[in-house]
Amino acid sequence: MPELQVSFRDHLGDIGNTDFYWREYRLAGEADGDSKYLDPELRGGRTTSEVVLAEKRREDRIRALDEGMTRWPWAVGVNPQELRAHLQRAGLPIP
């Protein structure tokens, strides 16, 4: 079972939380809905481009900690078979 909302830090300080984290496998997972990119209120005054770039930098910092990272869209997350296949491809040993 993954841990939820795990915080990551590096030499620069707080990086942020990931939606899911499988500590034993050093794999972080993010379920991506479109709203955080498209809804002005969720963007907090930033453009969609700024949100995407900040997310990329955050993910790069987590990967630099020697952590794996995988992302999946909402449509995959709500389909158990697709999510299972996605996580297996990311390296999670699901029997």
Side-chain angles (χ1 to χ4, degrees), residues 41 85 93:
E41 286 186 36

Side-chain angles (χ1 to χ4, degrees), residues 4-94:
L4 305 180
Q5 297 298 313
V6 172
S7 297
F8 287 87
R9 295 182 58 80
D10 64 7
H11 66 285
L12 298 174
D14 185 46
I15 299 172
N17 297 346
T18 59
D19 294 333
F20 305 93
Y21 184 56
W22 291 269
R23 190 173 303 274
E24 181 178 355
Y25 305 103
R26 298 184 67 112
L27 180 65
E30 294 282 311
D32 290 332
D34 293 344
S35 296
K36 69 179 175 183
Y37 306 108
L38 303 176
D39 186 327
E41 286 186 36
L42 294 177
R43 290 195 322 254
R46 299 178 298 171
T47 65
T48 299
S49 297
E50 289 170 327
V51 171
V52 170
L53 289 173
E55 187 174 82
K56 181 181 178 343
R57 289 183 197 109
R58 175 179 159 269
E59 186 170 321
D60 287 346
R61 287 174 67 191
I62 292 171
R63 287 183 190 275
L65 297 172
D66 200 25
E67 301 289 347
M69 173 71 80
T70 187
R71 311 182 84 80
W72 57 87
W74 187 257
V76 169
V78 298
N79 182 312
Q81 293 85 5
E82 286 187 38
L83 181 59
R84 180 175 196 237
H86 176 90
L87 294 173
Q88 285 174 320
R89 286 189 301 273
L92 200 62
I94 302 171

